[in-house]
Amino acid sequence: MGLYIRRVVDYEKKHVRYRGPLRRILFLILLICQIKYPLGRDLLCYIEEVCKEVGMLNNSWNKVIYKFWSPIYDKIFNSHLFLDARKRIFEEIHFHDNAKVLFVGVGTGADLELIKNLDLEITAIDLSADMLKKAMGKYENTTINFLEMDAQNMEFDNESFDYVVGSLVLSVVPDANQCLQEMIRVLKGEGKIILFDKFISKDERLSLPKKVLRPIIGLLGTDIGLRFEDLFSRHEMNMKIEEDRPIMLNGMYRKIIISKRI
């Protein structure tokens, strides 16, 4: 098996590598479909390495993929199940008057239309200029401050916001831990972080097909193998979970509220 994999890797490097990223990904998909042996750790690591090399799940690639998503995003992620889930989340959130609220990865502004309290100071950031343009077009006559910004490296002072909202963002950014760390950094001492995202359960172990598909699906701009418990374990000394419950698709999507330990 090891010799087989080495020959495949050598062939890919020699004949496919310099013919563009899409050809490399296509080659890997064909390889996975045709292989007759158990997929070993070496091959899984190699697939992940190739996907990183061609720019999957990094900021540059995310800008490209969300340029594609921006015209159709609302039709998928702001309708039906997703819209119902968003409504339930924000119906239960009571922002206090004059609160400073940060929407991280605001996208096309799907969450903003569900905010009932108008006495808020809202800042909304997104890495994708195309997604942000859609959001800005919906809220031209508002005081919302829209900024093109990397959620992993926010340009705000420490403890700037009373609430930080992250909908479908941790599963999208290249480094979810860094993004969560930044959310925590800009959150005030008595503030709350409100998350709506997809996570695998704490007891779930990724199946072999999912392990193989995970980096490839990353081409679409999302991570299907993110576990919230792994992220939170790095911050549980300073943070606590106030709420964690399933919100959609049998718990694949969850509503999570965390706050600082004071």
Side-chain angles (χ1 to χ4, degrees):
M1 178 58 180
L3 179 60
Y4 175 81
I5 294 301
R6 284 197 296 274
R7 287 176 177 173
V8 168
V9 170
D10 288 344
Y11 177 86
E12 194 277 337
K13 288 181 177 179
K14 184 178 295 184
H15 298 287
V16 185
R17 166 166 283 184
Y18 300 108
R19 296 188 182 182
L22 293 180
R23 288 199 180 191
R24 297 193 71 186
I25 295 300
L26 178 60
F27 171 83
L28 291 173
I29 293 172
L30 291 174
L31 168 63
I32 292 165
C33 291
Q34 295 183 32
I35 194 167
K36 298 179 182 179
Y37 302 94
L39 292 176
R41 180 179 297 272
D42 290 345
L43 183 56
L44 292 176
C45 290
Y46 179 67
I47 291 171
E48 185 173 359
E49 175 190 334
V50 171
C51 291
K52 286 180 180 178
E53 283 184 22
V54 302
M56 292 174 56
L57 284 181
N58 65 28
N59 282 344
S60 297
W61 178 254
N62 275 354
K63 286 184 177 182
V64 171
I65 196 63
Y66 280 96
K67 187 178 185 69
F68 164 79
W69 276 118
S70 60
I72 60 174
Y73 188 88
D74 281 342
K75 294 179 181 178
I76 301 172
F77 297 106
N78 193 25
S79 63
H80 306 300
L81 289 176
F82 283 96
L83 179 57
D84 290 342
R86 291 180 193 271
K87 284 181 177 178
R88 276 182 281 138
I89 289 170
F90 288 102
E91 282 174 355
E92 300 165 356
I93 302 295
H94 301 287
F95 299 104
H96 65 74
D97 288 344
N98 303 313
K100 292 186 175 182
V101 184
L102 172 65
F103 286 82
V104 180
V106 70
T108 60
D111 290 340
L112 297 175
E113 62 192 61
L114 303 174
I115 305 301
K116 304 299 182 183
N117 190 336
L118 301 180
D119 298 321
L120 299 173
E121 186 178 329
I122 297 177
T123 302
I125 69 170
D126 203 282
L127 181 70
S128 168
D130 296 276
M131 297 285 277
L132 208 57
K133 185 177 179 181
K134 288 281 186 181
M136 293 171 67
K138 296 177 183 178
Y139 305 98
E140 289 179 334
N141 300 316
T142 69
T143 59
I144 299 172
N145 185 22
F146 290 98
L147 298 170
E148 186 176 337
M149 190 181 297
D150 183 0
Q152 302 161 116
N153 186 25
M154 298 187 209
E155 300 166 20
F156 303 118
D157 293 335
N158 295 347
E159 301 192 358
S160 294
F161 298 95
D162 299 292
Y163 300 91
V164 177
V165 180
S167 291
L168 307 180
V169 65
L170 290 178
S171 59
V172 167
V173 293
D175 190 336
N177 181 62
Q178 180 62 27
C179 181
L180 182 59
Q181 179 63 55
E182 280 290 271
M183 290 181 179
I184 294 170
R185 181 184 67 79
V186 302
L187 183 70
K188 291 183 179 180
E190 297 183 352
K192 298 180 187 296
I193 295 175
I194 303 160
L195 302 172
F196 164 49
D197 219 322
K198 65 176 178 296
F199 302 104
I200 63 172
S201 68
K202 63 180 180 180
D203 299 319
E204 182 180 351
R205 294 292 176 265
L206 286 181
S207 64
L208 189 55
K210 280 190 176 181
K211 287 182 179 179
V212 174
L213 290 173
R214 184 182 183 185
I216 296 174
I217 289 177
L219 273 174
L220 300 177
T222 191
D223 186 353
I224 62 170
L226 190 64
R227 193 190 321 274
F228 178 74
E229 288 74 16
D230 292 343
L231 292 176
F232 187 74
S233 65
R234 306 177 189 183
H235 307 284
E236 59 186 351
M237 293 293 291
N238 302 315
M239 303 296 293
K240 61 182 178 181
I241 297 175
E242 294 193 3
E243 182 178 347
D244 181 356
R245 65 182 177 88
I247 201 75
M248 197 178 85
L249 295 180
N250 295 320
M252 178 187 297
Y253 288 82
R254 289 151 64 183
K255 171 191 175 184
I256 300 173
I257 298 179
I258 62 176
S259 59
K260 292 183 175 180
R261 296 184 187 274
I262 300 176

